[in-house]
Amino acid sequence: MIAKKMVKYVEGSSVIRAMFEEGKKMAAKYGAENVYDFSLGNPSTLPPKEVNEAIIDIASNEDPNRLHGYMNNSGFEDVREAIAQSLNKRFDTHFSQKNILMTVGAAGGLNVILKSIIDPEDEVIAFAPYFGEYNNYVANFDGKIVAVSPNPPSFQPNIKEFAEKITPKTKAVIINNPNNPTGVVYSEKTIKELAKVLEDKQKEYGTAIYLIADEPYRELAYDGVEVPYLTKYYDNAIVGYSYSKSLSLPGERIGYLVIPDEADDFENLIAAANVANRILGFVNAPSLQQLVIKKCLDASTDISIYDTNRTLLYDKLTSLGFECVKPQGAFYLWMKTAEPDDVAFATKAKEFNLLIVPGSSFMCPGYVRIAYCVEKAMIERSFAAFEKLAQSYGLK
Amino acid sequence: MIAKKMVKYVEGSSVIRAMFEEGKKMAAKYGAENVYDFSLGNPSTLPPKEVNEAIIDIASNEDPNRLHGYMNNSGFEDVREAIAQSLNKRFDTHFSQKNILMTVGAAGGLNVILKSIIDPEDEVIAFAPYFGEYNNYVANFDGKIVAVSPNPPSFQPNIKEFAEKITPKTKAVIINNPNNPTGVVYSEKTIKELAKVLEDKQKEYGTAIYLIADEPYRELAYDGVEVPYLTKYYDNAIVGYSYSKSLSLPGERIGYLVIPDEADDFENLIAAANVANRILGFVNAPSLQQLVIKKCLDASTDISIYDTNRTLLYDKLTSLGFECVKPQGAFYLWMKTAEPDDVAFATKAKEFNLLIVPGSSFMCPGYVRIAYCVEKAMIERSFAAFEKLAQSYGLK
């Protein structure tokens, strides 16, 4: 009786549930401390103390009807203006409140902007490997996702293939920087090349192609690497941001879209996104969390915890003979599998109580994603298991 | 460059923006205290004190990683179990946590359940007058909304026409009880008749037809009138609830769906709704507000404030010769317009600084909606304006 479109999702979710149940069984059988779960992208650092201080302050002092009430579907104007000014200070941009639309996390923001621009059969390009939910978000609006092939070993986008895959039906391109699942940061050189291709194709076809940046991992970059701010390189750039990782607030569902003045059809785009936020059922981003964000614009989680885990895990895995991409951002390590079948490799890893995600889930077989947003002690405990995994493939 | 589907929405939103701008201009010209805005369904009573107390308590004492972290897409299990038990106590039902899915308000819940069941061209029946957003929610999934004609003067659903409009493609029926915009409460007799028709048609066509109750106004019922709990009358009933009005928290976007064990295809329906919550971009209902709800299950806003407004306004308008439906619930008064053209009537009202919404917005011309979730003093100040409006139509 459920919708035909939903059948495959329900079947897929049964597989995930089965994995989850198996994980619970493994923990019961071997003891939770002997199961090494690297499968989830759930922040392991605490939110900064400013968050709960802001919540208490706001609940104690704010007018309750403002605090918990409806506002414009785009969000509180003062919150949006504060975010705009904070971006301007950091990135030398020129935004004001009218460029900012508060959203129910980045997932909400992506759905809002896709609803605003995608007609059935419109094409949206993504660079494999990419977050599998993009497939679902684009399908929500009957768009067609077009994948550009993975580009090892750097995993920077393949610009030549990208140019070839743009057609008159290309409406948008999604990039995720820093990248889930590779941990790679797309460089300024990459972004400039992407922008050049897009500008040329826009001229060639007489179309507008929106470059959508999905940036929940923006603040998670290591070794001083810069994450280019897209609106500075391309007029039709739209940024989707989330505080899920930067403030460790994934459950609160709070983020925003940036739609710059320079974007084609700006007035209609802003109006469409405002309406989409309403009719998709979000209505507005949660009001209390909007006010919290205004008070926490300069706060951040302690990313040194992730940085430590990153080095620890990368050094160990490479020393065991695994081929890994050195992560520059996010909290994922991307590793080539020691046999071509990544699902078989992940299954083999499970024999050693290691839970890791096959690259196929990210449209890139032959790799696995290892999420290191976990306790450092678990990483250390897992080393013996990774050693056995390496040995089982005849690595050192 | 925006999606073709969005063009009509953007045009519509320009009209609303223009109205809003005009309202601001009127306030500037005549003074805010001389403009009588009855257009918005924004709760005017304060949230109960338990809400902010709960927020402060939770922010002070809850484990921050649980408080702000991801949980199952359906919500925290303990919150869902507490809601289930609270419903069981009130309505003698038999729910547990597996029947409850936490949502981003009722708007989020309706989109989740429609995504779960609607294939393109499936039909969804609603009873005019109804909340205009239902058109948009159903269109999100390429469903087709089928309106049953208004049934004055009681505005209880027209059961005969309802039965005639059910087809093999009817997948769902939405009812909103207490009703926006009429303030009518559908009686137990009505619900039993609806259920009987649906059962007969399910048998006749061999289909499942889900009866979706949109219940943000459940707690706003006056004079001791009972609002029947739908799952007790029909197995395929699904309830969408929101705390927007019952706790005056519309900005927080917190509500839930109830999917009973008895619903056809229960396991798949629950799984589909869980996935829909994720892929539509909600991911989960805001985590802090979920925990707040658990602590506020027995709290409520002071509805005597709305009740006082209701009587005051109804008595005055009927004394002026207007034909009104006496509201039994929600915070809207539904009034027949003194000329057939409700838009012209609302425009005439504006000449007297009265802002009211034409019934056409609710698929029911010839009426207007007057929202009395406002300051009592504003209602009293507006009486002279309503008197002039009555006089301009030759009423007493």
Side-chain angles (χ1 to χ4, degrees):
Chain A
M1 311 301 179
I2 63 169
K4 291 179 193 77
K5 280 187 180 181
M6 293 302 289
V7 171
K8 67 171 178 187
Y9 293 119
V10 168
E11 285 166 358
S13 81
S14 307
V15 174
I16 293 166
R17 263 207 310 278
M19 273 175 54
F20 181 74
E21 292 302 323
E22 202 185 333
K24 281 207 293 190
K25 271 184 208 152
M26 283 170 68
K29 189 168 170 189
Y30 303 107
E33 73 284 6
N34 299 315
V35 177
Y36 317 110
D37 189 346
F38 293 97
S39 66
L40 295 175
N42 203 1
S44 55
T45 64
L46 287 177
K49 66 177 182 357
E50 287 90 335
V51 168
N52 281 357
E53 287 170 2
I55 291 172
I56 292 166
D57 179 29
I58 292 165
S60 306
N61 299 312
E62 183 64 74
D63 165 16
N65 273 355
R66 167 171 148 95
L67 165 51
H68 302 298
Y70 282 126
M71 81 298 301
N72 185 298
N73 297 124
S74 294
F76 289 116
E77 289 196 3
D78 60 321
V79 173
R80 292 155 59 202
E81 185 62 33
I83 289 171
Q85 294 311 325
S86 167
L87 291 173
N88 294 346
K89 204 168 63 180
R90 287 181 65 189
F91 303 115
D92 193 25
T93 48
H94 306 280
F95 304 126
S96 71
Q97 56 86 13
K98 71 179 187 305
N99 303 109
I100 310 290
L101 186 144
M102 303 304 297
T103 61
V104 172
L110 289 176
N111 274 282
V112 163
I113 193 65
L114 291 171
K115 170 91 174 171
S116 304
I117 60 175
I118 299 299
D119 279 306
E121 303 302 314
D122 278 352
E123 293 168 4
V124 178
I125 295 179
F127 298 93
Y130 62 83
F131 183 42
E133 289 289 81
Y134 297 161
N135 292 331
N136 305 329
Y137 299 165
V138 171
N140 281 340
F141 311 105
D142 301 312
K144 194 180 147 196
I145 199 146
V146 175
V148 174
S149 311
N151 189 27
S154 75
F155 287 96
Q156 296 283 323
N158 180 332
I159 302 290
K160 185 165 170 292
E161 186 181 328
F162 172 54
E164 290 163 3
K165 288 204 162 157
I166 298 173
T167 77
K169 294 191 83 63
T170 305
K171 200 63 181 277
V173 178
I174 305 181
I175 69 167
N176 179 210
N177 201 25
N179 189 260
N180 172 16
T182 64
V184 164
V185 172
Y186 295 170
S187 66
E188 185 177 44
K189 176 169 172 289
T190 294
I191 300 301
K192 284 181 171 170
E193 288 171 359
L194 283 173
K196 176 73 171 63
V197 167
L198 284 166
E199 273 157 14
D200 290 348
K201 290 287 179 183
Q202 286 192 143
K203 268 189 211 130
E204 181 182 344
Y205 297 132
T207 54
I209 308 175
Y210 295 103
L211 179 59
I212 302 170
D214 178 25
E215 300 201 341
Y217 302 102
R218 163 164 286 280
E219 320 309 338
L220 278 55
Y222 311 106
D223 300 335
V225 68
E226 292 276 341
V227 183
Y229 205 79
L230 257 72
T231 62
K232 299 173 72 173
Y233 301 91
Y234 183 61
D235 283 352
N236 276 332
I238 291 166
V239 178
Y241 188 83
S242 162
Y243 293 93
S244 292
K245 278 77 181 183
S246 61
L247 295 179
S248 289
L249 300 178
E252 301 294 357
R253 313 313 304 138
I254 184 76
Y256 60 82
L257 285 172
V258 182
I259 304 179
D261 289 349
E262 293 75 16
D264 276 357
D265 210 14
F266 170 74
E267 293 289 344
N268 283 329
L269 199 55
I270 281 282
N274 183 288
V275 171
N277 210 19
R278 197 191 85 217
I279 68 180
L280 287 173
F282 301 111
V283 182
N284 55 255
S287 50
L288 168 60
Q289 295 302 331
Q290 290 192 43
L291 298 180
V292 168
I293 292 307
K294 186 180 172 190
K295 286 183 176 280
C296 295
L297 287 171
D298 295 320
S300 57
T301 61
D302 180 3
I303 74 160
S304 72
I305 295 171
Y306 298 136
D307 196 9
T308 303
N309 288 353
R310 173 181 78 113
T311 308
L312 189 66
L313 192 63
Y314 177 79
D315 288 351
K316 180 69 185 182
L317 292 173
T318 50
S319 80
L320 291 173
F322 289 111
E323 258 182 65
C324 302
V325 177
K326 180 149 194 189
Q328 300 170 289
F331 40 46
Y332 305 109
L333 189 142
W334 188 239
M335 185 170 91
K336 194 166 181 184
T337 52
E339 61 175 310
D341 183 340
D342 54 307
V343 177
F345 182 83
T347 305
K348 170 63 79 176
K350 215 188 298 170
E351 289 176 18
F352 306 107
N353 294 356
L354 290 164
L355 304 179
I356 55 185
V357 183
S360 308
S361 303
F362 305 95
M363 283 46 73
C364 183
Y367 288 80
V368 285
R369 187 190 78 171
I370 305 174
Y372 55 79
C373 44
V374 296
E375 296 289 325
K376 184 184 165 203
M378 190 194 91
I379 297 179
E380 290 166 337
R381 285 199 309 274
S382 75
F383 282 173
F386 277 115
E387 281 166 20
K388 287 182 202 154
L389 180 64
Q391 283 159 8
S392 76
Y393 284 102
L395 304 178
K396 26 184 140 161
Chain B
M1 311 298 178
I2 63 169
K4 291 178 193 78
K5 280 186 181 181
M6 293 303 289
V7 171
K8 66 171 177 182
Y9 293 118
V10 168
E11 285 165 0
S13 81
S14 307
V15 174
I16 293 166
R17 263 206 310 277
M19 273 175 55
F20 179 73
E21 292 302 323
E22 201 183 335
K24 280 207 293 188
K25 270 185 212 155
M26 283 169 69
K29 187 167 171 188
Y30 304 108
E33 73 285 5
N34 299 316
V35 177
Y36 317 109
D37 189 346
F38 293 97
S39 66
L40 295 175
N42 203 0
S44 55
T45 63
L46 287 176
K49 66 177 183 359
E50 287 91 334
V51 167
N52 281 357
E53 287 170 1
I55 291 171
I56 292 167
D57 179 28
I58 292 165
S60 306
N61 300 311
E62 183 64 73
D63 164 17
N65 272 354
R66 167 173 147 94
L67 165 51
H68 301 298
Y70 283 126
M71 80 300 299
N72 185 298
N73 297 122
S74 294
F76 289 116
E77 288 196 6
D78 59 323
V79 174
R80 292 154 59 202
E81 185 63 32
I83 289 172
Q85 294 312 324
S86 168
L87 291 173
N88 293 346
K89 204 168 63 181
R90 286 182 65 190
F91 303 114
D92 194 24
T93 48
H94 306 281
F95 303 127
S96 72
Q97 57 86 15
K98 71 177 187 305
N99 303 109
I100 310 291
L101 187 144
M102 302 305 296
T103 61
V104 172
L110 289 177
N111 275 282
V112 163
I113 194 64
L114 291 171
K115 170 90 172 169
S116 304
I117 60 174
I118 299 298
D119 279 305
E121 301 301 314
D122 278 351
E123 293 169 4
V124 177
I125 295 178
F127 298 93
Y130 63 83
F131 183 41
E133 288 288 80
Y134 297 161
N135 292 331
N136 305 329
Y137 300 163
V138 170
N140 281 341
F141 310 105
D142 300 312
K144 195 181 146 197
I145 200 147
V146 175
V148 174
S149 312
N151 190 26
S154 75
F155 287 97
Q156 295 284 323
N158 180 332
I159 303 290
K160 185 165 170 293
E161 185 182 328
F162 172 55
E164 288 162 5
K165 288 205 161 157
I166 298 173
T167 78
K169 295 191 82 60
T170 305
K171 200 63 179 278
V173 178
I174 304 180
I175 70 168
N176 179 211
N177 200 25
N179 190 261
N180 172 14
T182 63
V184 164
V185 172
Y186 295 170
S187 66
E188 184 177 45
K189 175 169 173 291
T190 295
I191 300 301
K192 284 182 171 170
E193 287 171 357
L194 282 174
K196 175 73 170 64
V197 168
L198 284 167
E199 273 157 16
D200 290 348
K201 290 289 178 180
Q202 287 193 141
K203 269 189 211 130
E204 180 182 345
Y205 297 133
T207 54
I209 307 174
Y210 296 103
L211 179 59
I212 302 169
D214 178 24
E215 300 200 342
Y217 302 101
R218 164 164 285 282
E219 320 310 337
L220 277 55
Y222 310 106
D223 300 334
V225 68
E226 293 277 340
V227 183
Y229 205 80
L230 256 72
T231 63
K232 300 172 73 172
Y233 300 91
Y234 182 62
D235 283 352
N236 276 332
I238 291 166
V239 178
Y241 188 82
S242 162
Y243 292 94
S244 293
K245 277 78 183 184
S246 61
L247 295 179
S248 290
L249 300 177
E252 301 293 0
R253 313 312 304 140
I254 184 75
Y256 59 81
L257 285 172
V258 181
I259 303 180
D261 289 349
E262 293 75 16
D264 276 357
D265 210 15
F266 170 74
E267 294 288 345
N268 283 329
L269 199 55
I270 281 282
N274 183 287
V275 171
N277 211 19
R278 196 190 85 220
I279 68 181
L280 288 173
F282 301 112
V283 182
N284 55 253
S287 50
L288 168 59
Q289 295 302 332
Q290 290 191 44
L291 299 180
V292 169
I293 291 307
K294 186 179 172 189
K295 285 182 176 280
C296 296
L297 286 171
D298 296 321
S300 56
T301 61
D302 181 4
I303 74 161
S304 73
I305 295 171
Y306 298 136
D307 196 8
T308 302
N309 288 353
R310 172 181 78 112
T311 307
L312 189 66
L313 193 62
Y314 177 79
D315 288 350
K316 181 68 186 182
L317 292 174
T318 49
S319 80
L320 290 174
F322 289 111
E323 258 183 63
C324 302
V325 177
K326 179 147 196 191
Q328 301 171 287
F331 40 47
Y332 305 109
L333 189 142
W334 188 239
M335 185 170 91
K336 195 166 183 185
T337 52
E339 61 176 313
D341 183 341
D342 54 306
V343 177
F345 182 83
T347 306
K348 170 64 77 178
K350 216 188 297 170
E351 290 177 18
F352 305 107
N353 294 356
L354 291 164
L355 304 179
I356 55 184
V357 183
S360 308
S361 304
F362 305 94
M363 282 47 72
C364 183
Y367 288 79
V368 285
R369 188 191 77 172
I370 305 174
Y372 55 79
C373 45
V374 296
E375 295 289 325
K376 184 183 166 204
M378 190 194 91
I379 296 180
E380 289 165 338
R381 283 199 310 274
S382 74
F383 282 173
F386 276 115
E387 281 167 20
K388 287 181 203 155
L389 180 64
Q391 283 159 7
S392 78
Y393 284 101
L395 305 177
K396 26 183 143 165

